[in-house]
């Protein structure tokens, strides 16, 4: 069978052979054995040298195999428009193009035809092989770019890919390619999110969930937080803005949330609380975007099946508004650590910052708070307010208001009994992890670039990397 024949019938596929590849194998085997022999005799070479040697020497074999196989795949693709399915006109073959794969560059001969409906020239093989119109990279190399740049600054990503995968991607190309992948991830996220908003879509999500939902009634926990990110939206305009007396605004909010079922909470071997499976949401596009994305993620984690919804946050007012809007049935809980900080503020005001007297004063109140006795804490603060000097009254009054406004969010005693988290530590640690990547010194971002990379990172964390890159199979980066 020659390369130009199509492997269409069963008979043909039974006799299928990568001819050029198979013919070249014996020569390669001989060459590799010779090289291995040399390495074995060199006293200064260890297993690492053998690994490098075999990696390099077998790469060309793999490159040729993938080139030949891809060529066969290209030839089996019917001459139809990959976008609308119309039969293509004026079809010609032999259109050559090179693509970078993880084994090196391959060159394919493709068929081209004109789609009358789309009014475009099409290469159906490119679509079938997962090759993008714009960049000449294989799906595997596209994935490498997306993964490396979402984890590392692009200059480092370039070197790491070259070292670990032996693929050279120029920095500017790598940056562009990762951003393109990120934008595709954003599109996919939008499709997935929209699906949760239709009755049919939500029903499909529910069916998919049935397998993983616990049999017993469960609580769905939602934690929300925000952090600052540095961007160069006023890049190059700093001087102009400063002349006008304006300081260029470069810090912006990034919004994070996490969703998990309480039944997914467990302990690590070292006794630390861990969450076995959970969903993440991150966006730079503002609170409205967060609201939509978070609702969709909550649906995917069992919102419509949960007996209870619990929202935990640090007390920012926009978070409670969001919770009331999207999760009106939810119980709200203020992060215990933040509530304690407010008591400490009163203690320092009354007894001096860092003093033993302040600690002695606050201790019983902290205990009451932990037991969920917010009413008693408020009563004590009101007594203090009645006795206090005018200079201290302002702060104490403010804190009385704070505890009164949040009293219904301070039922820590019940939360502890139910095995619920008392604070929003799980989201705060998530924010820190994102910050590690997105807040390096000297790093500036654009909103579009941010969102694209954050979206990639979130697909990875959510265990949905294979939805972006189907060749990954059942690899799930969120599972240990
Ligand atoms: Zn078409």
């Amino acid at each position: 069978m020659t390369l130009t024949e199509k492997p269409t019938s069963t008979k043909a596929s039974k006799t299928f052979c990568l001819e050029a590849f198979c013919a070249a194998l014996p020569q390669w085997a001989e060459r590799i054995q010779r090289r291995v022999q040399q390495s074995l005799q060199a006293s200064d070479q260890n297993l690492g040298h053998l690994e490098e040697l075999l990696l390099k020497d077998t790469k060309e074999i793999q490159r040729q195999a993938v080139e030949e196989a891809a060529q066969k795949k290209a030839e089996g693709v019917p001459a139809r428009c990959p976008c609308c399915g119309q039969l293509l006109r004026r079809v010609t073959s032999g259109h050559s193009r090179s693509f970078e794969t993880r084994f090196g560059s391959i060159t394919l001969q493709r068929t081209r035809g004109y789609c009358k409906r789309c009014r475009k020239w099409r290469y159906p093989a490119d679509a079938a092989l997962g090759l993008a119109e714009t960049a000449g990279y294989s799906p595997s190399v596209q994935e490498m770019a997306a993964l490396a740049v979402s984890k590392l600054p692009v200059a480092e990503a370039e070197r790491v890919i070259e070292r670990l995968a032996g693929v050279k991607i120029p920095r500017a190309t790598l940056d562009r390619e990762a951003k393109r992948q990120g934008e595709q991830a954003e599109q996919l996220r939008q499709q997935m999110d929209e699906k949760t908003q239709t009755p049919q879509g939500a029903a499909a999500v529910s069916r998919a969930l049935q397998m993983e939902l616990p049999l017993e009634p469960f609580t769905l926990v939602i934690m929300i937080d925000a952090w600052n990110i540095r961007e160069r939206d006023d890049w190059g305009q700093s001087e102009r803005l400063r002349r006008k007396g304006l300081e260029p605004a470069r810090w912006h909010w990034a919004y994070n949330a996490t969703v998990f079922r309480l039944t997914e909470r467990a302990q690590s071997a070292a006794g630390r609380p861990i969450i076995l499976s959970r969903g993440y949401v991150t966006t730079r596009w503002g609170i409205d975007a967060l609201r939509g994305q978070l609702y969709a993620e909550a649906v995917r984690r069992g919102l419509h099946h949960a007996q209870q919804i619990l929202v935990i946050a640090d007390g920012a007012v926009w978070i409670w508004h969001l919770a009331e809007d999207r999760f009106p049935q939810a119980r709200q809980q203020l992060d215990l650590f933040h509530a304690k900080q407010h008591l400490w503020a009163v203690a320092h005001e009354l007894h001096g910052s860092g003093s033993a007297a302040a600690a002695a004063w606050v201790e019983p109140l902290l205990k009451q708070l932990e037991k969920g006795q917010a009413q008693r804490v408020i009563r004590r603060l009101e007594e203090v307010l009645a006795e206090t000097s005018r200079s201290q009254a302002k702060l104490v009054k403010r804190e009385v208001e704070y505890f009164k406004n949040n009293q219904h969010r301070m039922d820590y005693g019940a939360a502890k009994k139910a095995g619920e988290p008392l604070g929003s530590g799980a989201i705060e640690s998530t924010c820190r992890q994102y910050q590690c990547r997105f807040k390096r010194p000297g790093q500036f971002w654009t909103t579009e670039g941010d969102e694209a990379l954050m979206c990639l990172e979130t697909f990875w964390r959510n265990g949905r990397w294979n939805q972006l890159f189907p060749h990954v199979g059942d690899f799930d980066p969120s599972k240990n």
Side-chain angles (χ1 to χ4, degrees), residues 97-102 104-106 126 129-145 161 167-178 180-181 471:
R97 191 178 167 196
S98 294
F99 299 93
E100 206 56 47
T101 73
R102 63 161 64 217
S105 182
I106 63 168
D126 288 7
L129 288 164
L131 301 167
E133 275 179 36
T134 49
Y137 293 107
S138 75
S140 200
V141 176
Q142 293 168 27
E143 183 206 350
M144 272 180 216
I161 292 178
V167 178
K168 274 190 188 177
I169 313 174
R171 198 173 302 180
T173 316
L174 186 60
D175 203 18
R176 201 167 51 235
E177 184 59 17
R180 196 175 68 82
Q181 296 300 328
H471 63 262

Side-chain angles (χ1 to χ4, degrees), residues 98 113 181 187 218 230 305 330 333 350 360 367 369 377 381:
S98 294
Q181 296 300 328
Q187 280 175 22
F218 66 91
R230 203 172 191 194
H305 305 267
Q333 188 175 296
L350 297 177
K367 287 217 172 85
L369 191 63
V377 172
L381 289 177

Side-chain angles (χ1 to χ4, degrees), residues 278-351:
R278 57 163 157 163
Y280 297 93
V281 175
T282 315
T283 187
R284 253 295 284 121
W285 292 130
I287 294 171
D288 283 343
L290 173 75
R291 199 191 338 259
Q293 290 177 29
L294 176 55
Y295 179 79
E297 189 58 30
V299 170
R300 289 190 288 265
R301 300 280 163 177
L303 178 72
H304 298 323
H305 305 267
Q307 188 190 41
Q308 284 195 78
I309 321 289
L310 173 62
V311 175
I312 308 179
D314 63 10
V317 173
W318 66 266
I319 295 180
W320 304 132
H321 285 325
L322 187 156
E324 274 147 29
D325 178 42
R326 290 292 21 198
F327 311 104
Q329 73 278 46
R331 256 188 313 130
Q332 298 179 357
Q333 188 175 296
L334 183 72
D335 172 69
L336 176 61
F337 178 75
H338 279 84
K340 283 182 170 179
Q341 278 184 322
H342 282 258
L343 283 179
W344 275 107
V346 179
H348 292 151
E349 178 75 12
L350 297 177
H351 299 286

